[in-house]
Amino acid sequence: RNIPEASTAKATQTIDVSNATWHNFARLVDVQVGSHVSGVSELKRYLQRFGYVKDDATDLSDVFDGHLEYAISLYQQNLGLPITGRLDTSTVALMSSPRCGVSDAHMINAGVHTTAR
Amino acid sequence: YTYFGGKPKWYRDKLTYAFSETHKLDYMNSDDVRKAFRRSFGRWAGVIPVSFEEIDDYAKADLKIGFFAGDHGDGQPFDGVLGTLAHAFAPENGRLHLDAAETWVVDDDFKGGGSTVAVDLESVATHEIGHLLGLGHSSQESAVMYPSVRPRTKKVDLTVDDVAGILKLYGANPRLRLDSLTQSEDSLQNG
């Protein structure tokens, strides 16, 4: 679907102010499952850092695999984004935003369902 | 709202807090930092029957606040400008660490221009105090306990989601006025 103009503007602004490491996520927008793209491994490390990829996971390659798609879906669910499993603009923008350093692992363990509250 | 595993909480109605004398900002008046935190603690104290008192003795304080840079020995290294801004530990650990590399501002200093990467200290303090008290992250963007915060933005008012979470842990302060809370559309829809 088309992204509303306001959302696009907000996402772009957020990416622009992010730190050097996470700023690189902007080039991963719309990367597809099965792709091999430089920078995907950094995204996996980001998701591991915040509890979405297991701590003992060793395959942090640049391949966008099914595990990453699932991790992105969990992230979207916990952060109140539309759950697509895709690296859409709003997801990448939020991943690029500054945040609290506390892992989201407790949200995953709690099985967050916002509609249930 | 969510909680940490096991729903840890404090079992006292009076908690002390102190600022590190060695790990502090050199560009910000410590009185300004103290005032910002006093307001942040006051927001939570207005909701639950727990009071917060600042003391000078950092070692003896229940809650220990400091500004740290890079790897500071707790397994959660900071990463420079933006990225991760701060972290705090679940009860009854009591440590609250802020990234010294950030451009912290108080009292809406970012409104008159200034740095594009300025971060409002009071907003982050309010969020991290929620962690100190036992709250995890919220999925509601309007909530103080939402994990992400934009630079040059102030978000200090507790929402219904924040308050509902903390009330389940500690019960209500008798002076709590529910009509003073910020209510998101989601909160209203979910009763």
Side-chain angles (χ1 to χ4, degrees):
Chain A
R1 69 184 168 81
N2 292 330
I3 298 171
E5 192 175 328
S7 300
T8 309
K10 189 170 91 175
T12 304
Q13 183 185 24
T14 307
I15 289 171
D16 284 347
V17 296
S18 299
N19 83 351
T21 304
W22 297 357
H23 180 87
N24 291 335
F25 292 160
R27 61 195 162 93
L28 299 179
V29 170
D30 290 336
V31 167
Q32 302 286 318
V33 176
S35 304
H36 186 290
V37 179
S38 175
V40 168
S41 59
E42 291 170 31
L43 180 70
K44 287 179 178 177
R45 270 191 287 276
Y46 171 94
L47 289 167
Q48 187 179 49
R49 162 76 178 77
F50 293 110
Y52 295 95
V53 172
K54 287 181 181 175
D55 279 342
D56 57 0
T58 52
D59 178 24
L60 299 181
S61 67
D62 279 329
V63 177
F64 191 135
D65 52 24
H67 295 297
L68 178 57
E69 185 181 34
Y70 177 68
I72 291 168
S73 297
L74 273 180
Y75 177 87
Q76 291 168 332
Q77 177 179 312
N78 283 341
L79 277 289
L81 295 166
I83 303 168
T84 64
R86 290 175 49 244
L87 283 170
D88 47 48
T89 308
S90 57
T91 301
V92 172
L94 196 55
M95 287 176 171
S96 303
S97 298
R99 60 162 287 161
C100 172
V102 174
S103 166
D104 297 338
H106 58 273
M107 303 177 86
I108 299 162
N109 297 334
V112 169
H113 297 289
T114 53
T115 52
R117 293 217 170 88
Chain B
Y1 57 86
T2 60
Y3 305 107
F4 295 109
K7 291 179 71 173
K9 57 173 278 186
W10 295 86
Y11 289 92
R12 277 173 282 161
D13 60 7
K14 183 177 176 182
L15 297 173
T16 58
Y17 68 94
F19 297 91
S20 170
E21 278 298 315
T22 50
H23 298 284
K24 58 184 180 181
L25 294 178
D26 55 6
Y27 62 82
M28 186 179 284
N29 185 323
S30 61
D31 279 347
D32 289 338
V33 174
R34 285 182 156 78
K35 284 177 189 169
F37 268 89
R38 197 175 304 145
R39 289 192 294 268
S40 296
F41 276 116
R43 289 192 181 86
W44 291 105
V47 173
I48 56 175
V50 177
S51 64
F52 302 94
E53 180 193 3
E54 184 185 346
I55 62 172
D56 293 329
D57 194 332
Y58 184 75
K60 286 186 178 174
D62 299 311
L63 312 175
K64 298 174 172 63
I65 302 163
F67 292 85
F68 297 85
D71 188 349
H72 51 286
D74 63 2
Q76 308 279 324
F78 284 126
D79 51 8
V81 179
L82 299 181
T84 54
L85 306 172
H87 55 238
F89 294 81
E92 295 177 296
N93 180 296
R95 287 178 295 170
L96 191 165
H97 296 167
L98 300 123
D99 189 347
E102 308 302 343
T103 305
W104 296 104
V105 296
V106 292
D107 298 330
D108 298 347
D109 280 352
F110 46 80
K111 282 190 173 173
S115 173
T116 57
V117 293
V119 180
D120 181 58
L121 178 63
E122 195 173 329
S123 301
V124 175
T126 308
H127 175 100
E128 299 303 332
I129 291 168
H131 286 320
L132 289 179
L133 292 172
L135 280 181
H137 286 144
S138 170
S139 295
Q140 293 193 13
E141 189 179 1
S142 60
V144 160
M145 293 313 296
Y146 192 71
S148 178
V149 62
R150 292 192 191 94
R152 302 170 63 83
T153 303
K154 190 159 192 167
K155 187 164 79 172
V156 295
D157 294 326
L158 303 181
T159 66
V160 168
D161 187 71
D162 300 309
V163 172
I166 205 69
L167 287 183
K168 274 195 177 178
L169 274 183
Y170 292 94
N173 183 322
R175 292 169 295 157
L176 173 63
R177 285 185 56 220
L178 291 171
D179 59 358
S180 66
L181 303 174
T182 303
Q183 299 200 33
S184 70
E185 194 175 329
D186 286 348
S187 303
L188 292 169
Q189 286 173 350
N190 292 321

